[in-house]
Amino acid sequence: MARPVPRDPRLASTLPASVSALGRRSLLRGALGVGALGASGLLTACGDDGGSGGGASAKAGNVKFGINEAKGSGPANERLQAMADAYAKKAGVTVSVNAVDHNTFQESITTYLQGSPDDVFTWFAGYRMAQFAEGGQIADVSDVWPLDGIGDAFKKASTAADGKQYFVPVSYYPWAVFHRKSVFEKNGWTQPTTMDELTELMKDMQGKKMTPFAFAAKDAWAPMGTFDILNMRLNGYDFHMALTKGEKTWDSPEVKNVFSTWKTLLPYHQENSLGRTWQEAATSMAKGECGMYLLGTFVVDGVPTEAQEDLDFFTFPALDQSIGADALDAPIDGFCVASGASDEEAGKAFIKWLASAEAADAANNTATAPFIAANTAASTAKYGELQKKSVEVVQNAKSIAQFLDRDTNADLANTVITASLQEFIKKPDSIDAITTSIQQQAKSILG
């Protein structure tokens, strides 16, 4: 893959109307921010149905749909399958779904796109999308824009460095600290608003033989959420974005302070996290074995249906009052058309529909847990308190990042940062060696 075009730091926008106006508050100031994971060769496309190339008219036709959720894996798969079924019925075409588990999909994506990929596939906004656009592996879908109900902030997150769109959004989700309301009520706990209150809560949980934080690191991307929030609380959003672009160094005192702070929090987290998936960690919280879990709203996909309505969350409190607590991760998910699609025209017709309110409603009316739709016209009737609160939290955020592995270079995220965070979890006393190693490799990769 060619070296990615640097992101434009001037990208700025407000939240779209789907989550209410924010005035001066920015959603996606780092709109081109994502990093791709490397290839394992395990993700393969559906059988070739034949077809022809693209065209602005984007006529409906049979389409192959690659999705990053395995069949039977829960609400995420249910939502995507429901969208495929609804389009097939509406357009009178066949949608062949290629369902692959999330981690395999991400780790195999490069090989997948270099082979015979499906026409349309699930992916992520920002830099991670932009890298594939710059490498010529995904198709320009500017001719399906503008999209009814999709605001300018989402369009900017779908735009690569050449000013063209290569992505359409479907949903977004904030990362926060989740817990079961009934567990807090039973123990007389309230949501902490300061670090002192969080520390007191964690100690009380330990005193009651409960692990404060569920934690999983087998999914190599998951620990990035903890790094991100500590980094933005200690150093601020602008530092986070500068670090991902190589404008700040990984061996700096600021980054070492992030790891040092994380080290003090590790005793409050589940042990043996390197062997635990995020779904298993979510189950630990649902069972009451752990009191809290820092994750995205998709945590609902990892807990039993009866526990979903019992979930609540709070944003991680401030660590430095001069920086505050108004920055968070809120990644955008959606779809791309592969440049190697067997029928790019059919893919464009499908992807345009996938961004519609009708598609979002088909997904949310079927699945046991709804996503937060990017389309302003999508129904919110299925939203529970968790989804409504998520909208509010994103609305009130001053700065929103896409997530560390979506805000930086693919090679840096996949080959360096994930392994380094796992190494830190194994050896938390090795901060100097770990940060020095990351910086040496980051300098080589980012230039």
Side-chain angles (χ1 to χ4, degrees):
M1 185 186 300
R3 189 177 185 275
V5 176
R7 294 185 299 279
D8 185 346
R10 297 168 298 177
L11 287 172
S13 61
T14 57
L15 257 173
S18 58
V19 286
S20 184
L22 287 185
R24 295 183 301 275
R25 294 183 182 275
S26 61
L27 170 67
L28 310 178
R29 284 162 51 194
L32 295 183
V34 234
L37 292 180
S40 67
L42 298 177
L43 171 60
T44 57
C46 295
D48 191 351
D49 294 328
S52 60
S57 58
K59 296 179 181 178
N62 294 340
V63 66
K64 296 179 292 182
F65 188 25
I67 67 174
N68 59 352
E69 297 293 344
K71 185 176 181 180
S73 61
N77 174 271
E78 294 170 8
R79 292 188 291 263
L80 291 164
Q81 185 64 57
M83 297 170 92
D85 293 343
Y87 182 73
K89 182 177 181 179
K90 176 183 177 66
V93 301
T94 297
V95 179
S96 302
V97 177
N98 178 23
V100 180
D101 77 90
H102 196 90
N103 285 343
T104 299
F105 195 100
Q106 292 191 177
E107 293 167 1
S108 308
I109 189 66
T110 303
T111 295
Y112 168 72
L113 290 176
Q114 291 172 344
S116 300
D118 300 303
D119 301 313
V120 174
F121 64 97
T122 50
W123 201 234
F124 316 114
Y127 190 55
R128 198 161 188 178
M129 168 275 303
Q131 283 190 278
F132 288 141
E134 194 268 344
Q137 293 162 302
I138 54 178
D140 174 7
V141 295
S142 300
D143 50 358
V144 309
W145 288 82
L147 294 162
D148 291 340
I150 302 294
D152 187 58
F154 285 119
K155 184 176 182 179
K156 288 183 178 180
S158 304
T159 303
D162 61 3
K164 299 176 181 179
Q165 290 75 52
Y166 292 83
F167 175 88
V168 300
V170 65
S171 62
Y172 64 93
Y173 53 92
W175 278 61
V177 181
F178 291 83
H179 66 88
R180 292 197 64 163
K181 291 182 285 188
S182 61
V183 171
F184 268 48
E185 291 169 0
K186 178 181 177 181
N187 290 279
W189 295 327
T190 58
Q191 294 182 344
T193 59
T194 67
M195 193 59 205
D196 286 343
E197 291 177 357
L198 178 58
T199 301
E200 183 179 350
L201 174 60
M202 292 188 297
K203 290 181 178 179
D204 196 25
M205 287 180 174
Q206 285 186 327
K208 294 179 177 178
K209 308 303 180 184
M210 182 183 295
T211 301
F213 274 96
F215 191 53
K218 185 175 183 180
D219 307 296
W221 51 266
M224 291 182 179
T226 300
F227 178 87
D228 275 359
I229 198 63
L230 294 178
N231 188 28
M232 287 192 284
R233 291 292 180 269
L234 290 167
N235 300 316
Y237 169 84
D238 290 338
F239 184 94
H240 161 83
M241 293 308 301
L243 183 66
T244 65
K245 291 182 286 187
E247 296 170 359
K248 299 291 184 180
T249 63
W250 282 86
D251 58 354
S252 65
E254 291 89 348
V255 174
K256 290 182 180 181
N257 186 35
V258 173
F259 282 105
S260 295
T261 302
W262 193 353
K263 178 182 174 181
T264 68
L265 296 174
L266 280 177
Y268 297 108
H269 287 64
Q270 271 182 303
E271 296 179 345
N272 305 314
S273 62
L274 294 172
R276 184 179 302 109
T277 67
W278 73 263
Q279 293 95 332
E280 291 169 336
T283 298
S284 298
M285 179 193 60
K287 289 181 177 179
E289 297 169 355
C290 300
M292 300 170 287
Y293 192 14
L294 174 64
L295 202 70
T297 320
F298 60 88
V299 68
V300 298
D301 294 348
V303 303
T305 303
E306 62 272 17
Q308 291 173 4
E309 292 187 0
D310 192 36
L311 291 179
D312 196 1
F313 67 86
F314 58 92
T315 56
F316 200 92
L319 295 175
D320 182 331
Q321 293 304 317
S322 67
I323 293 173
D326 55 7
L328 71 156
D329 281 322
I332 299 171
D333 289 346
F335 309 98
C336 295
V337 173
S339 58
S342 60
D343 192 337
E344 187 176 301
E345 190 171 13
K348 286 185 177 182
F350 184 38
I351 202 173
K352 184 179 182 72
W353 183 83
L354 286 170
S356 69
E358 183 182 0
D361 293 345
N364 283 341
N365 288 338
T366 301
T368 54
F371 56 43
I372 305 169
N375 196 295
T376 63
S379 172
T380 60
K382 291 285 185 176
Y383 285 11
E385 292 304 313
L386 203 65
Q387 286 78 24
K388 293 176 182 177
K389 186 172 181 177
S390 295
V391 171
E392 180 183 354
V393 164
V394 174
Q395 171 185 334
N396 291 326
K398 180 179 179 181
S399 302
I400 296 179
Q402 282 292 289
F403 199 70
L404 182 55
D405 73 351
R406 302 187 185 194
D407 277 338
T408 196
N409 175 277
D411 294 331
L412 180 60
N414 182 45
T415 63
V416 179
I417 296 175
T418 52
S420 297
L421 296 186
Q422 290 176 321
E423 181 69 11
F424 165 73
I425 292 166
K426 287 190 293 185
K427 301 176 181 178
D429 290 327
S430 301
I431 294 173
D432 287 347
I434 290 169
T435 54
T436 297
S437 176
I438 296 175
Q439 178 55 28
Q440 289 174 342
Q441 296 174 82
K443 184 176 181 179
S444 175
I445 292 169
L446 299 178

